[in-house]
């Protein structure tokens, strides 16, 4: 069994591939290259794994990505165990697990590893799971053959751009706006008030035809004890510590309760 199949089997993953570091480096700026050089000497290959997270109907006011266990922890657990096994087998090589907080342009890495296409909404779209996938990587100084396959591309149908409240302007993206701290401008506050969610944004994914028949995830961490909705009463009066204790291991806790309190107040009619 080759290393990609082993990653897939031992990590319980459905979609894995390899991107040659040389190809990825040509899409990285100096800051990203410097960040990578601090993590590993002479990186040669990037093993890329997708973690589907769709569990069911989209009702609720939290983004679909933030409803189950925090994906950073899920990816660290799963890819960490695989990297440990590889390390034992290749003691002279190095294996660094990364997810999200990573110098790698992960969407591009996943496309380069043959796992999907990049949609006009900036997201990686897998043929079966659509864009409802997280991306995790293992960077290694082992030379691995790159995966060669070209999945179906984005239809360029324009549905995501038409549905997006900010015309896919990533500087004004509602995902960022709902997660950032501080006071919002009037224009920003109006956008949040009209937005269906209080954390994250799924609009450009919900309208994407390539997500119409997206398969649901089998990963138990994303299926168990989902939190779909929060109310102001859930977060009001909590210190950051109390908030993190009340909602441990969730992707919506890292900024503390303030952005959620502000967003919920805007939507429930109070002055934040
Ligand atoms: C920063 C970031 C964001 C920022 C983007 C801010 C900005 N000004 O660029 C914000 C908070 C908006 C964001 C939102 C989301 N993100 Co994000 N994000 C990242 C992160 C950490 C870095 C991306 C980046 O800036 N790379 C560096 C720049 C230089 O790369 P780039 O080639 O110029 O462009 C990247 C992005 O700008 C983005 N992009 C490209 N075009 C567009 C267009 C729009 C409108 C937006 C918003 C983004 C976008 O995709 C490129 C590849 O990463 C990556 C993880 C990673 N390390 O790659 C996750 C990542 C891209 N995000 C992810 C997710 C899940 C989301 C959300 C779906 C969460 C949500 N439901 O609210 C939204 C989707 C928004 C969207 N349409 O892309 C996943 C994507 C999985 C997938 N299927 O592709 C990633 C890969 C994290 C992970 N490990 O799974 N994100
Ligand atoms: S909505 Fe259409 S244009 Fe946007 S990512 Fe999906 S297929 Fe591509
Ligand atoms: S996540 Fe929301 S605001 Fe951001 S690009 Fe997609 S639809 Fe637009």
């Amino acid at each position: 069994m080759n290393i990609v199949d082993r990653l897939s089997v031992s990590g319980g993953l459905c979609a894995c591939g390899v991107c040659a570091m040389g190809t990825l480096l040509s899409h990285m700026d100096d800051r990203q290259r410097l960040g990578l050089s601090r993590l590993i000497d002479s990186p040669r290959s990037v093993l890329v794994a997708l973690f589907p997270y769709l569990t069911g109907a989209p009702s609720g006011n939290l983004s679909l990505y933030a409803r189950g266990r925090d994906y950073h922890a899920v990816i660290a657990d799963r890819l960490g165990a695989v990297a440990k096994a590889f390390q034992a087998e290749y003691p002279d090589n190095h294996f660094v697990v990364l997810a999200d907080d990573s110098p790698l342009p992960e969407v591009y890495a996943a496309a380069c590893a043959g796992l999907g296409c990049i949609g006009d909404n900036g997201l990686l779209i897998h043929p079966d799971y659509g864009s409802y996938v997280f991306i995790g990587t293992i960077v290694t100084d082992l030379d691995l053959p790159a995966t060669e396959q070209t999945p179906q591309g984005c239809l360029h149908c324009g549905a995501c751009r038409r549905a997006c409240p900010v015309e896919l302007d990533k500087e004004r993206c509602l995902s960022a706006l709902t997660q950032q701290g501080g006071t919002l401008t009037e224009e920003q506050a109006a956008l949040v008030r009209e937005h269906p969610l209080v954390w994250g944004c799924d609009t450009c994914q919900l309208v994407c035809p390539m997500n119409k028949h997206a398969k649901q995830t089998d990963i138990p961490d994303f299926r168990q004890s989902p939190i779909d909705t929060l109310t102001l009463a859930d977060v009001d009066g909590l210190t950051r510590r109390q908030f993190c204790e009340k909602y441990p291991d969730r992707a919506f806790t890292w900024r503390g309760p303030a952005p959620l309190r502000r967003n919920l107040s805007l939507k429930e009619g109070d002055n934040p």
Side-chain angles (χ1 to χ4, degrees), residues 77-142:
D77 282 359
R78 291 201 171 212
L79 291 190
V82 179
K84 207 170 157 194
F86 288 159
Q87 187 66 74
E89 196 169 331
Y90 301 94
D92 298 333
N93 291 97
H94 299 85
F95 300 87
V96 179
V97 175
L98 296 167
D100 199 36
D101 182 16
S102 155
L104 302 180
E106 294 174 340
V107 175
Y108 185 78
C112 157
L115 300 177
C117 65
I118 302 181
D120 286 352
N121 59 4
L123 297 170
L124 191 277
I125 307 175
H126 180 267
D128 296 331
Y129 294 96
S131 58
Y132 300 118
V133 291
F134 299 119
I135 302 169
T137 60
I138 301 179
V139 188
T140 177
D141 45 13
L142 199 59

Side-chain angles (χ1 to χ4, degrees), residues 137-153:
T137 60
I138 301 179
V139 188
T140 177
D141 45 13
L142 199 59
D143 233 333
L144 297 168
T147 310
E148 281 181 31
Q149 66 193 30
T150 335
Q152 188 195 354

Side-chain angles (χ1 to χ4, degrees), residues 15-16 33 35 49 57 73 77 88 91 129 155 188 202 207-208 215 264 272:
C16 309
R33 287 168 187 235
D77 282 359
Y129 294 96
L155 305 172
Q188 291 173 328
D202 296 325
V207 298
C208 176
K215 272 172 70 177
L264 283 159

Side-chain angles (χ1 to χ4, degrees), residues 77-246:
D77 282 359
R78 291 201 171 212
L79 291 190
V82 179
K84 207 170 157 194
F86 288 159
Q87 187 66 74
E89 196 169 331
Y90 301 94
D92 298 333
N93 291 97
H94 299 85
F95 300 87
V96 179
V97 175
L98 296 167
D100 199 36
D101 182 16
S102 155
L104 302 180
E106 294 174 340
V107 175
Y108 185 78
C112 157
L115 300 177
C117 65
I118 302 181
D120 286 352
N121 59 4
L123 297 170
L124 191 277
I125 307 175
H126 180 267
D128 296 331
Y129 294 96
S131 58
Y132 300 118
V133 291
F134 299 119
I135 302 169
T137 60
I138 301 179
V139 188
T140 177
D141 45 13
L142 199 59
D143 233 333
L144 297 168
T147 310
E148 281 181 31
Q149 66 193 30
T150 335
Q152 188 195 354
C154 162
L155 305 172
H156 306 299
C157 65
C160 51
R161 187 171 296 278
R162 285 193 297 277
C164 173
V166 296
E167 293 173 36
L168 300 184
D169 174 358
K170 61 182 174 180
E171 300 308 321
R172 297 193 300 143
C173 177
L174 265 289
S175 175
L177 205 56
T178 52
Q179 300 181 51
Q180 80 187 36
T183 312
L184 303 180
T185 64
E186 293 233 339
E187 190 214 348
Q188 291 173 328
L191 282 168
V192 171
R193 220 177 270 119
E194 282 158 29
H195 186 51
L197 304 181
V198 294
W199 185 264
C201 178
D202 296 325
T203 304
C204 58
Q205 300 191 81
L206 291 172
V207 298
C208 176
M210 295 183 77
N211 278 338
K212 204 166 173 193
H213 303 291
K215 272 172 70 177
Q216 293 196 14
T217 182
D218 290 328
I219 299 175
D221 305 71
F222 297 138
R223 302 200 71 93
Q224 284 158 7
S225 327
I227 300 176
D228 302 338
T229 299
L230 286 175
T231 64
L232 189 53
D234 291 325
V235 297
D236 216 17
L238 297 180
T239 63
R240 177 184 272 267
R241 191 166 160 190
Q242 289 166 331
F243 176 63
C244 294
E245 280 168 5
K246 186 171 177 185

Side-chain angles (χ1 to χ4, degrees), residues 13-28:
L13 301 163
C14 59
C16 309
V18 174
C19 172
M21 197 66 231
T23 314
L24 200 52
L25 279 173
S26 62
H27 281 79
M28 291 167 64

